[in-house]
Amino acid sequence: MLFPVSALAVEFDIEKTDIHAYLQMDGNVQVEEIHTYAFDGEFNGLTRTLIAKKGTQIQDVKASENGTALDVEQEDNLYKIYRGGADETVTIHLTYTIKDGVEVYSDMGQFYWPFFDQNNESAYHNLDIYIHPPKPTGDVEFIGYDSAWDTGKADKDGVVHFAMGHVSSGQKGDVRVAYDASLFSAAPSAGDTSIRDDIVRDKEKKEAEIAAFKKDQDMFNRIAPYIVFGFALYLLFLVMSRIQYKRKIKAEIERRFVDAFFVPKTGLSMPATIHYMNNGVLDTHALTAALLDLVRKDYVMKKEDETFVVVNRQTDHMHEQMLIAWLFDMVGKNGTFRLSDLATYTKNKNNHESYWNNFMQWQQSVKQEVDAKELYEKRNNKRMAIGLSSLIILPFTILFGVYELYGWMIAAIVLVFCVIVLAIGGKRRTAEGAYIKEQWDRFEIKFADLTPTEWNEWLDDDQKHAFIYGLGRNNQAIQKKNKILLEHAPQYDQLNHDSGMNMFLFLVIASSAHTYFGQAEASAAPNISTGSGGTPGVGGGIGGGGGGSGAF
């Protein structure tokens, strides 16, 4: 049920295929095909696709095994040969007639035929094609195309054997054999023209193309090491430059760092810190953290029944003003925001676009704060130049593939990929950006070992900073540690430990707010649909002929 295509597929190998084409004096061709299949698992039979060329017909298709006739069912150009079984090797004889398969010209009669084409989905492990003249003769011209090139050989009686060996699926290999026209005295004429010279020219043209191909192949094989190793040195230079820069930044961080444990004070707001440490991601966890940060900074006051009220709109950052205007004036009313307002607001589909627009505008405003701190090098032009430099080797990569220098082609592809990755990942932190990241990275490591006694000695604001940071990044380790610390905090002694109660209240608010924000996001999520299409396959071959083999 999960994998229907794999479950229903028939596993088999076509171990050997012999095709004998017997040309007749009347221009028809009697064909005998002998296919040996090795099946793995159950099967119902074999298939053979036979597509006639223009002006010809496929007739009288029959199949047998060891002299016993088998049922053959035709579906357009597909012939199903019924012979069921399981886990066995089967040899089937297939016979048919190609009516008017020989084209007779003034000097020669030719059999020009594609027994398979590029739409064949099965590989032939050992394929041999034999073309037999009506009578023994020494006057024969022949050529094989594509997979059949340079595989043909004629014996003393004029029988041409194309020993093609392994032929992969998706390949084609037309065969063309011509004998003296007098051998086809009963066949209709295809025209008062000569074709011998045409076949000879075809062979000479193909030989010239191969000679030119070999010459160019040798040339590219000689220059490939210089190109690949030269580009590899360029890549090494880029990597070493990057390593050197990182060492420089690391040395600067170590010079500035004080190895005492503290909650970092970086000059960034908590939403901006979360954005920076979370690789630019601001989700509903970050939105919940931003609301709590408004409470921490006394811009917003928490009241009963999950209700928040604005007490100060003179915030430090634009994104804080935007968040207040969004939640307390649009979702809520007149500076009052209840978490349940999110459900009411997003229940109306007309508000969905507004909800997402405000969410994205808030995210963009937080990003602007991060960008203003210049925590990354401004080197977009340099990164683009590095990425575009991969185009230098790209033409050679294509040419290596064209000239079948696959080892050099793979090496070039790897180099191009590495340079592109280096360019994309080449966003480098400034000394200030690296210093901020190092502070929070060390904070995360040391916070895990913090004892309740040490935590109780922290200022209330530091405790809230740590809580908001872990919540906004959805850092499970920090959130779990915060819960453990709260459990050991003297929070139940409300008269003497107000900060403990405040932190406990933070935990309750965080859990409830994140649930509401998550539900609002799910309700307002835009409907995105994707479509898919396909292009049907088309037949190929000389004059519309072709075919292939398979099983069912």
Side-chain angles (χ1 to χ4, degrees), residues 89-141:
T89 299
V90 177
T91 298
I92 301 296
H93 285 67
L94 180 70
T95 61
Y96 56 91
T97 299
I98 304 175
K99 183 174 175 55
D100 298 327
V102 178
E103 302 164 288
V104 183
Y105 295 90
S106 61
D107 57 343
M108 304 189 85
Q110 72 169 359
F111 178 62
Y112 193 174
W113 196 261
F115 284 101
F116 58 93
D117 62 15
Q118 65 271 18
N119 293 307
N120 179 34
E121 297 180 354
S122 305
Y124 296 106
H125 289 288
N126 191 7
L127 174 62
D128 291 279
I129 298 176
Y130 300 85
I131 311 299
H132 301 262
K135 296 178 182 179
T137 179
D139 185 12
V140 58
E141 296 287 351

Side-chain angles (χ1 to χ4, degrees), residues 92 107 150 229 275 370 491:
I92 301 296
D107 57 343
D150 204 27
F229 288 117
H275 178 281
V370 176
Q491 54 183 290

Side-chain angles (χ1 to χ4, degrees), residues 16-24 29-35 96 98 111-113 115-116 126-134 140 142 148 151-155 157-165 173-179:
K16 184 167 179 56
T17 293
D18 289 342
I19 299 177
H20 294 267
Y22 298 93
L23 311 189
Q24 307 297 307
V29 181
Q30 302 294 332
V31 181
E32 179 186 14
E33 299 185 357
I34 306 168
H35 299 277
Y96 56 91
I98 304 175
F111 178 62
Y112 193 174
W113 196 261
F115 284 101
F116 58 93
N126 191 7
L127 174 62
D128 291 279
I129 298 176
Y130 300 85
I131 311 299
H132 301 262
V140 58
F142 60 90
T151 63
K153 185 177 181 180
D155 65 15
D157 293 329
V159 178
V160 180
H161 174 203
F162 292 93
M164 300 176 64
D174 305 341
V175 296
R176 186 179 187 184
V177 181
Y179 300 99

Side-chain angles (χ1 to χ4, degrees), residues 209-278:
E209 289 175 353
I210 290 177
F213 178 87
K214 289 291 185 184
K215 182 179 178 181
D216 291 342
Q217 185 184 53
D218 291 341
M219 179 191 69
F220 280 106
N221 196 34
R222 287 194 303 271
I223 67 174
Y226 299 99
I227 295 171
V228 172
F229 288 117
F231 205 76
L233 288 174
Y234 167 68
L235 176 62
L236 181 62
F237 169 77
L238 294 177
V239 172
M240 293 303 296
S241 298
R242 188 171 179 81
I243 292 174
Q244 185 178 10
Y245 178 84
K246 285 189 174 182
R247 286 176 178 172
K248 178 182 175 182
I249 293 297
K250 185 176 181 181
E252 176 65 16
I253 290 173
E254 294 299 330
R255 186 186 66 80
R256 296 173 58 183
F257 214 93
V258 178
D259 199 26
F261 181 49
F262 59 92
V263 178
K265 300 294 189 294
T266 63
L268 284 173
S269 68
M270 287 309 299
T273 299
I274 293 165
H275 178 281
Y276 180 63
M277 293 298 294
N278 221 30

